[in-house]
Amino acid sequence: MSDHSSEAHSHGSVKSYLVGFIWSVILTGIPFWMVMTEAFDKGPTYITIVLLAIVQIFVHLKYFLHLDFSEQGKLDTYSFIFSAVIIVMVVALSVWIIFASNAMMM
């Protein structure tokens, strides 16, 4: 039978999950409010949405996926970064190939 002890990887506490949830709600609510009230021009709204989305990605990585650079989580973090880079490369190169093919057919 496999060992399912929690000694190998530490999971977050209720407090860390609540902190992550509160940050996620705040980082979702601000762009939602900006769009619904049209309080700002479109340019600053777009920039704020993108910046807060990037911040929210890091909040999710830290509080929900528990990725950090401690001795325990370093391997998980590096594995995630490697996977993300490969996925971005595959998607970006696929889009590039599709656009190049389209340009050659026109």
Side-chain angles (χ1 to χ4, degrees), residues 13-14 17 22 25 27 38 45 50 57 63 70 80 82 92 99:
S13 64
V14 173
Y17 283 118
I22 290 169
V25 169
L27 294 171
E38 297 178 356
T45 301
V50 169
I57 288 171
Y63 289 106
S70 66
F80 176 80
F82 176 76
F99 277 116

Side-chain angles (χ1 to χ4, degrees), residues 25-69:
V25 169
I26 291 169
L27 294 171
T28 302
I30 292 171
F32 184 79
W33 171 80
M34 289 178 73
V35 170
M36 294 305 291
T37 62
E38 297 178 356
F40 300 95
D41 292 334
K42 287 186 178 183
T45 301
Y46 291 148
I47 292 170
T48 304
I49 289 171
V50 169
L51 290 176
L52 291 179
I54 292 170
V55 171
Q56 192 167 38
I57 288 171
F58 287 109
V59 166
H60 283 239
L61 292 176
K62 178 175 175 31
Y63 289 106
F64 300 122
L65 295 178
H66 311 294
L67 295 180
D68 57 5
F69 286 102

Side-chain angles (χ1 to χ4, degrees), residues 9-21 62-64 66:
H9 297 287
S10 68
H11 296 285
S13 64
V14 173
K15 180 183 176 185
S16 73
Y17 283 118
L18 283 175
V19 169
F21 176 73
K62 178 175 175 31
Y63 289 106
F64 300 122
H66 311 294

Side-chain angles (χ1 to χ4, degrees), residues 74-100:
K74 207 177 267 191
L75 182 62
D76 292 338
T77 303
Y78 287 144
S79 299
F80 176 80
I81 291 170
F82 176 76
S83 300
V85 167
I86 295 298
I87 290 170
V88 167
M89 286 175 52
V90 166
V91 170
L93 292 174
S94 297
V95 170
W96 179 39
I97 289 169
I98 290 168
F99 277 116

